mmCIF file of all heavy atoms in Angstrom:
data_model
loop_
_atom_site.group_PDB
_atom_site.id
_atom_site.type_symbol
_atom_site.label_atom_id
_atom_site.label_comp_id
_atom_site.label_asym_id
_atom_site.label_seq_id
_atom_site.Cartn_x
_atom_site.Cartn_y
_atom_site.Cartn_z
ATOM 1 N N GLN B 244 -59.006 14.048 7.862
ATOM 2 C CA GLN B 244 -59.195 13.183 9.029
ATOM 3 C C GLN B 244 -59.308 14.061 10.307
ATOM 4 O O GLN B 244 -59.064 13.630 11.382
ATOM 5 C CB GLN B 244 -58.295 12.031 9.102
ATOM 6 C CG GLN B 244 -58.389 11.128 7.975
ATOM 7 C CD GLN B 244 -57.473 9.965 8.135
ATOM 8 O OE1 GLN B 244 -57.422 9.267 9.187
ATOM 9 N NE2 GLN B 244 -56.625 9.693 7.176
ATOM 10 N N MET B 245 -59.331 15.445 10.150
ATOM 11 C CA MET B 245 -59.223 16.370 11.238
ATOM 12 C C MET B 245 -57.961 16.168 12.062
ATOM 13 O O MET B 245 -57.957 16.477 13.290
ATOM 14 C CB MET B 245 -60.476 16.120 12.188
ATOM 15 C CG MET B 245 -61.786 16.276 11.396
ATOM 16 S SD MET B 245 -61.846 17.748 10.553
ATOM 17 C CE MET B 245 -63.131 17.580 9.331
ATOM 18 N N LEU B 246 -56.856 15.972 11.368
ATOM 19 C CA LEU B 246 -55.531 15.905 12.022
ATOM 20 C C LEU B 246 -54.943 17.123 11.564
ATOM 21 O O LEU B 246 -54.951 17.609 10.390
ATOM 22 C CB LEU B 246 -54.774 14.727 11.678
ATOM 23 C CG LEU B 246 -55.447 13.423 12.030
ATOM 24 C CD1 LEU B 246 -54.713 12.241 11.709
ATOM 25 C CD2 LEU B 246 -55.540 13.231 13.617
ATOM 26 N N ILE B 247 -54.067 17.825 12.340
ATOM 27 C CA ILE B 247 -53.350 18.930 12.003
ATOM 28 C C ILE B 247 -51.987 18.528 11.517
ATOM 29 O O ILE B 247 -51.248 17.809 12.066
ATOM 30 C CB ILE B 247 -53.193 19.946 13.137
ATOM 31 C CG1 ILE B 247 -54.629 20.455 13.453
ATOM 32 C CG2 ILE B 247 -52.301 21.063 12.724
ATOM 33 C CD1 ILE B 247 -54.558 21.182 14.853
ATOM 34 N N GLN B 248 -51.741 19.037 10.188
ATOM 35 C CA GLN B 248 -50.396 18.576 9.612
ATOM 36 C C GLN B 248 -49.581 19.847 9.283
ATOM 37 O O GLN B 248 -50.070 20.996 9.122
ATOM 38 C CB GLN B 248 -50.786 17.892 8.247
ATOM 39 C CG GLN B 248 -51.665 16.721 8.297
ATOM 40 C CD GLN B 248 -51.128 15.530 8.971
ATOM 41 O OE1 GLN B 248 -49.898 15.613 9.396
ATOM 42 N NE2 GLN B 248 -51.930 14.542 9.149
ATOM 43 N N ARG B 249 -48.321 19.656 9.443
ATOM 44 C CA ARG B 249 -47.332 20.907 9.125
ATOM 45 C C ARG B 249 -46.690 20.573 7.813
ATOM 46 O O ARG B 249 -46.280 19.453 7.462
ATOM 47 C CB ARG B 249 -46.222 20.791 10.296
ATOM 48 C CG ARG B 249 -46.803 21.062 11.613
ATOM 49 C CD ARG B 249 -45.710 20.648 12.609
ATOM 50 N NE ARG B 249 -44.489 21.628 12.551
ATOM 51 C CZ ARG B 249 -43.333 21.441 13.230
ATOM 52 N NH1 ARG B 249 -43.187 20.331 13.927
ATOM 53 N NH2 ARG B 249 -42.294 22.281 13.080
ATOM 54 N N ARG B 250 -46.616 21.714 7.156
ATOM 55 C CA ARG B 250 -45.893 21.592 5.867
ATOM 56 C C ARG B 250 -44.394 22.102 6.095
ATOM 57 O O ARG B 250 -44.279 23.049 6.758
ATOM 58 C CB ARG B 250 -46.557 22.472 4.852
ATOM 59 C CG ARG B 250 -47.913 22.095 4.276
ATOM 60 C CD ARG B 250 -48.392 23.014 3.162
ATOM 61 N NE ARG B 250 -49.895 22.915 2.933
ATOM 62 C CZ ARG B 250 -50.808 23.624 3.502
ATOM 63 N NH1 ARG B 250 -50.413 24.465 4.365
ATOM 64 N NH2 ARG B 250 -52.048 23.395 3.195
ATOM 65 N N PRO B 251 -43.513 21.348 5.461
ATOM 66 C CA PRO B 251 -42.166 21.765 5.700
ATOM 67 C C PRO B 251 -41.852 23.150 4.961
ATOM 68 O O PRO B 251 -42.280 23.267 3.765
ATOM 69 C CB PRO B 251 -41.317 20.711 5.098
ATOM 70 C CG PRO B 251 -42.192 19.929 4.104
ATOM 71 C CD PRO B 251 -43.557 20.205 4.600
ATOM 72 N N THR B 252 -41.406 24.041 5.702
ATOM 73 C CA THR B 252 -41.015 25.501 5.189
ATOM 74 C C THR B 252 -39.558 25.727 5.579
ATOM 75 O O THR B 252 -39.416 26.415 6.592
ATOM 76 C CB THR B 252 -41.882 26.497 5.492
ATOM 77 O OG1 THR B 252 -42.153 26.459 6.880
ATOM 78 C CG2 THR B 252 -43.352 26.257 4.854
ATOM 79 N N LEU B 253 -38.582 25.129 4.957
ATOM 80 C CA LEU B 253 -37.268 25.235 5.498
ATOM 81 C C LEU B 253 -36.699 26.638 4.963
ATOM 82 O O LEU B 253 -36.539 26.748 3.774
ATOM 83 C CB LEU B 253 -36.428 24.129 5.070
ATOM 84 C CG LEU B 253 -36.752 22.756 5.527
ATOM 85 C CD1 LEU B 253 -36.173 21.748 4.760
ATOM 86 C CD2 LEU B 253 -36.526 22.698 7.008
ATOM 87 N N GLU B 254 -36.416 27.607 5.739
ATOM 88 C CA GLU B 254 -35.635 28.731 5.301
ATOM 89 C C GLU B 254 -34.338 28.408 4.726
ATOM 90 O O GLU B 254 -33.854 28.989 3.856
ATOM 91 C CB GLU B 254 -35.652 29.853 6.478
ATOM 92 C CG GLU B 254 -37.065 30.387 6.697
ATOM 93 C CD GLU B 254 -37.003 31.512 7.751
ATOM 94 O OE1 GLU B 254 -35.935 31.885 8.196
ATOM 95 O OE2 GLU B 254 -38.044 32.002 8.164
ATOM 96 N N ASN B 255 -33.637 27.650 5.729
ATOM 97 C CA ASN B 255 -32.244 27.352 5.191
ATOM 98 C C ASN B 255 -32.217 25.765 5.100
ATOM 99 O O ASN B 255 -32.722 25.046 6.062
ATOM 100 C CB ASN B 255 -31.110 27.710 6.263
ATOM 101 C CG ASN B 255 -31.198 29.006 6.527
ATOM 102 O OD1 ASN B 255 -31.054 29.883 5.633
ATOM 103 N ND2 ASN B 255 -31.303 29.539 7.807
ATOM 104 N N ALA B 256 -31.765 25.279 4.042
ATOM 105 C CA ALA B 256 -31.894 23.857 3.912
ATOM 106 C C ALA B 256 -30.427 23.284 4.294
ATOM 107 O O ALA B 256 -29.499 23.433 3.457
ATOM 108 C CB ALA B 256 -32.172 23.477 2.363
#
Side-chain angles (χ1 to χ4, degrees):
Chain B
Q244 295 183 52
M245 302 306 167
L246 301 171
I247 294 172
Q248 306 291 358
R249 296 168 65 192
R250 294 186 190 92
T252 50
L253 299 169
E254 285 185 10
N255 302 307

